[in-house]
Amino acid sequence: MKFVRENPDAVVAAVKKRNGNLDLTEFLALDKERREIVQSVEQLKKQRNDASQEIGKLKKAGQNADAKQAEVRAMGEDIAKQDEKLGVIEEKLKAILLTIPNIPADDVPVGKDDTCNPVIRTIGEPRKFDFTPKPHWEIGENLGILDFERGVKVSGARYVFYKGLGSRLERSVIEFFLDLHTQKHGYTEFFPPYIVNGASMQGTGQLPKFAEDMYKLENGDMYLIPTAEVPITNLHRDEVLKAEDLPLKYTAYSACFRAEAGAAGRDTRGLIRMHQFNKVELVKFTKPEESWAELDKLTNDAEEVLQILGLPYHVVRLCTGDLGFSSATTYDLEVWLPAANCYREISSCSNFLDFQARRANIKFRRDAKAKPELVHTLTG
């Protein structure tokens, strides 16, 4: 709140770089009114305390204190009314703040969309074929390892059955990822819940902005997770971590669920944009001064998977117009798809700085006497 109040022009400019529009007129007016009410309540409380002391003196002297007591009661009622008004204003301010995306890092390239993402490095050469490669969905169906037709029958569009060796392959790839990250890269493995509460979704930035992309359970404030980032990051919600334990490096497999509300007509065939898919997530909690170096390490950890598999890929830096809501900077790993004749994103490695930690109240203490500070969170 303090940052937005003191830097409104910078915040508006940052959102504009993201191709968004932000009007802070209401926020600034409400914030001004909030501070005026806080000041008024503090003055009233001081006056009430002074009056209470006078009542004590009057009673001690055997004098009538009825008028002064009535005055104190009136001030108490006024304080209660102003506190109630203050609560309403603070809820409005919080609602506005929760819709403001993270500010892109200074070196994030400015651009309108993914066509403006610069390629940082390319690893491997796309294989040349003397025939037209078949798309993966056709290969999968011909081999009997993917069944899209029955996936649609049972669940609807953008669902699939893995079958036989397809199921075994999927399971083996997941195990390979987890073994690599835990045994070589030093991550601690978790197996998280697939259902989380609204506070968890708010903590990582999915709510309230992207409610339409989430699957919400009918009863209660519960949601199917879009990735394991949500439950794993919220492991430490409302906690103060020890500096000597940082960085914390976690990995988790989960099924992921996305409504893909804004993806109508896009990637309607194959496994590219499913409502349910499998993912191995990497999550880090770091000290602020170490998060950029840890982002490079996390990106390298994700890249090693592709290098071992021998898949041609490149790394792109997302421009401001393509950057995720919570991210300050993101590197996308894009793998070459022969049938599509293009690179497609299969992993996003992001540094959120203290954006998620502020929403989820995740802090650390440098020593026993130090004031708690917000951690930085990263995922890939």
Side-chain angles (χ1 to χ4, degrees):
M1 190 179 297
K2 182 173 182 252
F3 182 87
V4 177
R5 176 197 308 140
E6 295 177 353
N7 304 276
D9 292 341
V11 174
V12 169
V15 174
K16 188 174 182 180
K17 286 181 181 179
R18 288 172 163 271
N19 297 334
N21 292 306
L22 180 64
D23 185 351
L24 289 174
T25 304
E26 181 185 12
F27 173 88
L28 294 173
L30 286 169
D31 181 59
K32 182 174 182 291
E33 186 177 2
R34 184 192 70 84
R35 284 180 285 138
E36 289 173 350
I37 292 174
V38 168
Q39 186 176 8
S40 173
V41 168
E42 288 176 350
Q43 289 175 347
L44 278 171
K45 286 180 178 178
K46 183 179 184 304
Q47 292 171 10
R48 185 176 62 178
N49 289 339
D50 292 343
S52 295
Q53 290 179 5
E54 287 183 41
I55 290 171
K57 292 177 182 178
L58 288 171
K59 287 184 174 181
K60 191 174 183 179
Q63 299 179 24
N64 189 303
D66 291 350
K68 188 61 69 174
Q69 286 176 321
E71 184 181 332
V72 168
R73 282 195 297 272
M75 283 190 283
E77 291 171 0
D78 193 7
I79 289 170
K81 289 179 182 178
Q82 293 205 50
D83 279 341
E84 184 178 353
K85 187 177 181 181
L86 184 63
V88 172
I89 290 173
E90 288 180 339
E91 283 300 311
K92 289 181 179 179
L93 285 169
K94 180 181 177 182
I96 294 171
L97 286 172
L98 287 172
T99 64
I100 300 175
N102 201 353
I103 292 177
D106 293 338
D107 60 347
V108 171
V110 177
K112 61 178 182 177
D113 54 34
D114 58 2
T115 62
C116 302
N117 295 338
V119 176
I120 304 301
R121 55 183 172 272
T122 300
I123 308 297
E125 289 289 334
R127 186 175 171 186
K128 298 287 193 286
F129 296 95
D130 57 4
F131 57 88
T132 301
K134 293 180 180 180
H136 70 269
W137 58 85
E138 187 174 331
I139 295 172
E141 288 175 331
N142 290 343
L143 292 174
I145 63 175
L146 295 175
D147 192 332
F148 292 97
E149 184 177 345
R150 289 187 174 91
V152 172
K153 178 179 71 172
V154 171
S155 300
R158 301 183 190 269
Y159 290 93
V160 67
F161 277 98
Y162 292 84
K163 177 184 176 183
L165 289 176
S167 301
R168 184 178 178 184
L169 175 61
E170 185 79 351
R171 175 165 50 86
S172 299
V173 169
I174 292 167
E175 186 173 359
F176 158 59
F177 281 21
L178 291 171
D179 286 348
L180 177 68
H181 294 318
T182 55
Q183 296 174 17
K184 183 176 181 181
H185 299 151
Y187 291 78
T188 299
E189 181 181 349
F190 284 85
F191 190 49
Y194 289 177
I195 297 174
V196 296
N197 54 34
S200 295
M201 289 292 227
Q202 180 178 292
T204 44
Q206 279 74 25
L207 290 180
K209 187 73 171 177
F210 303 104
E212 66 175 7
D213 289 321
M214 303 297 112
Y215 282 112
K216 184 177 182 181
L217 277 63
E218 186 173 351
N219 298 319
D221 186 32
M222 304 295 287
Y223 298 80
L224 291 174
I225 62 171
T227 74
E229 171 194 334
V230 178
I232 297 302
T233 302
N234 281 278
L235 267 172
H236 295 301
R237 177 157 47 94
D238 296 325
E239 293 183 15
V240 179
L241 307 173
K242 297 179 181 178
E244 57 266 30
D245 293 336
L246 301 178
L248 291 171
K249 301 165 58 176
Y250 297 156
T251 186
Y253 156 74
S254 77
C256 305
F257 306 89
R258 298 184 187 178
E260 295 287 358
R266 297 175 59 191
D267 300 314
T268 55
R269 299 198 66 182
L271 302 171
I272 300 297
R273 199 178 296 276
M274 308 295 288
H275 289 311
Q276 176 185 320
F277 59 94
N278 299 308
K279 188 172 190 285
V280 172
E281 193 81 25
L282 303 177
V283 176
K284 287 187 178 183
F285 301 84
T286 78
K287 298 175 186 175
E289 66 271 20
E290 296 175 353
S291 67
W292 292 113
E294 290 298 332
L295 174 63
D296 290 340
K297 293 177 183 177
L298 182 146
T299 305
N300 291 336
D301 292 341
E303 285 186 69
E304 188 171 351
V305 169
L306 303 176
Q307 293 165 8
I308 292 173
L309 293 174
L311 297 175
Y313 71 94
H314 65 202
V315 182
V316 301
R317 182 85 182 273
L318 297 197
C319 70
T320 52
D322 197 30
L323 201 61
F325 178 82
S326 299
S327 177
T329 205
T330 295
Y331 295 105
D332 269 7
L333 310 187
E334 299 184 341
V335 168
W336 178 259
L337 301 185
N341 197 39
C342 68
Y343 289 94
R344 294 297 297 263
E345 180 257 322
I346 52 87
S347 180
S348 291
C349 302
S350 301
N351 188 350
F352 304 114
L353 301 180
D354 61 9
F355 186 83
Q356 291 182 331
R358 188 181 305 278
R359 295 167 74 102
N361 190 31
I362 308 171
K363 299 181 179 181
F364 77 103
R365 202 187 301 272
R366 293 185 185 271
D367 57 60
K369 297 181 180 179
K371 181 180 178 182
E373 303 173 45
L374 293 168
V375 300
H376 282 189
T377 61
L378 304 87
T379 67

